[in-house]
Amino acid sequence: MSNIKIVTDSAVALTPEEIAFYDIKIVPLSVQIDGTVYEDGVTIQRDEFLEKMAVSKSLPQTSQPSIGAFQLAYDEIHQKHPDSEILSIHMSSGLSGTVRAAEQAAALTSAKITTFDTLAADRAQAFVVLQAAEMAKQGATMAEIMPAIEQARDESNIYLSFTSLTNMVAGGRLSKTQGIIGNLLNIKVGAGVTHTDGTVDVLLKGRGMKTIAKFNNNVIAKMQEYKEMVAIGISHAGIPEEATQLAERLKAIWPDLEIPVLNTTPIISTHTGVGALAILYRAR
């Protein structure tokens, strides 16, 4: 039995099978829609979130887990497994204060806890979590796991596209004028997440869906330059057919890899809106 227990937050994109197999504890973020607060993945699921967001009066607001929620999770694990260490792996500090809340909670419990900032979210966050979980399951020590997950973080990449600027304006990421002009001109955007601080940078923008197709072609061409493709995931906000088609295209190039297609987290879809599509991969 592993002597290291894995904790993460609900910004991660894991399959139910992965969560069960590795016994991963997920601490949920909160999302508020028109005054009602939900726990991500507990009292609201991702499909339901997109449906409610589409008819909400204002842009939903997401909140990091409280220090108390982390403390409770840590204490529960420590009570069940008093001799175990906890490795708490979280979404980018560039997007949320989640990892900071985890650090503060760690100081309030008697459990031995190590926290880690993935500088990512969604399936790229999962690449790091799964690296740690697999090594823990095999009996690795914390000293062995830490450099491996640092490498997993460095090898992980996120490229996403979105088709509407409405949510970006409502969330304060763009000016109202920019958003109105962008939507009137049918502007589409392709972006990447930087390795250094986990922030989002616009890489390509243009009119019409040809921009998205060009962006995806560029990403796939970049992927093919690597010597080894370790893992790939596709995440989306309410466009499963397009996401599946993209996964099938990638599967034809890397037939030996499983490529899960998953709904993205509310903290991402709140800012991108419905129609976002992400290619996430780990390569070396």
Side-chain angles (χ1 to χ4, degrees):
M1 182 178 290
S2 170
N3 199 42
I4 296 174
K5 303 300 178 184
I6 306 298
V7 174
T8 190
D9 57 74
S10 65
V12 76
L14 291 165
T15 67
E17 293 78 14
E18 289 167 340
I19 295 168
F21 182 76
Y22 292 112
D23 190 25
I24 297 167
K25 174 66 176 178
I26 297 180
V27 181
L29 280 78
S30 298
V31 57
Q32 181 173 306
I33 307 174
D34 291 338
T36 302
V37 177
Y38 304 90
E39 287 190 313
D40 178 24
V42 180
T43 57
I44 191 168
Q45 301 305 314
R46 294 180 178 187
D47 280 339
E48 185 184 2
F49 170 77
L50 291 174
E51 293 170 1
K52 289 183 180 294
M53 181 173 70
V55 297
S56 63
K57 297 175 183 177
S58 58
L59 188 71
Q61 296 179 316
T62 56
S63 302
Q64 66 204 42
S66 67
I67 295 171
F70 276 118
Q71 185 179 359
L72 179 62
Y74 297 153
D75 286 342
E76 287 179 349
I77 294 171
H78 186 56
Q79 288 171 8
K80 292 180 181 178
H81 310 281
D83 297 326
S84 293
E85 294 181 68
I86 296 172
L87 177 53
S88 201
I89 303 171
H90 297 292
M91 70 178 299
S92 173
S93 55
L95 296 173
S96 167
T98 297
V99 71
R100 302 294 170 247
E103 290 170 353
Q104 293 176 62
L108 301 175
T109 176
S110 56
K112 188 174 182 181
I113 300 164
T114 300
T115 60
F116 188 79
D117 183 355
T118 64
L119 298 177
D122 204 271
R123 191 64 183 176
Q125 180 179 342
F127 295 152
V128 179
V129 170
L130 291 171
Q131 176 71 56
E134 177 60 30
M135 292 182 70
K137 195 173 185 67
Q138 293 177 2
T141 65
M142 192 71 76
E144 292 168 330
I145 291 174
M146 293 308 293
I149 63 174
E150 288 174 4
Q151 180 179 345
R153 177 176 64 186
D154 291 343
E155 293 174 347
S156 296
N157 299 268
I158 304 174
Y159 292 95
L160 69 155
S161 59
F162 42 100
T163 57
S164 170
L165 303 182
T166 301
N167 283 38
M168 297 289 281
V169 172
R173 301 297 175 107
L174 286 176
S175 73
K176 196 167 188 178
T177 302
Q178 285 176 309
I180 291 171
I181 292 172
N183 284 335
L184 286 174
L185 295 177
N186 195 22
I187 295 295
K188 313 301 180 188
V189 175
V193 178
T194 62
H195 281 100
T196 52
D197 59 7
T199 55
V200 179
D201 291 328
V202 173
L203 301 176
L204 183 68
K205 57 184 176 181
R207 296 178 65 179
M209 293 305 293
K210 288 183 179 180
T211 300
I212 303 298
K214 181 181 179 180
F215 178 72
N216 288 337
N217 289 341
N218 291 345
V219 173
I220 293 171
K222 182 178 178 64
M223 294 170 71
Q224 290 177 294
E225 294 175 359
Y226 289 92
K227 293 181 180 179
E228 180 185 0
M229 188 60 55
V230 180
I232 303 173
I234 299 295
S235 292
H236 67 93
I239 50 169
E241 291 183 6
E242 292 90 333
T244 299
Q245 289 172 2
L246 184 56
E248 290 173 350
R249 179 181 174 186
L250 293 169
K251 185 74 172 176
I253 303 171
W254 292 280
D256 296 334
L257 294 180
E258 291 295 324
I259 304 178
V261 176
L262 301 168
N263 261 325
T264 192
T265 168
I267 198 167
I268 302 298
S269 54
T270 292
H271 295 298
T272 64
V274 174
L277 183 64
I279 302 174
L280 310 98
Y281 64 89
R282 180 182 173 189
R284 57 173 74 102

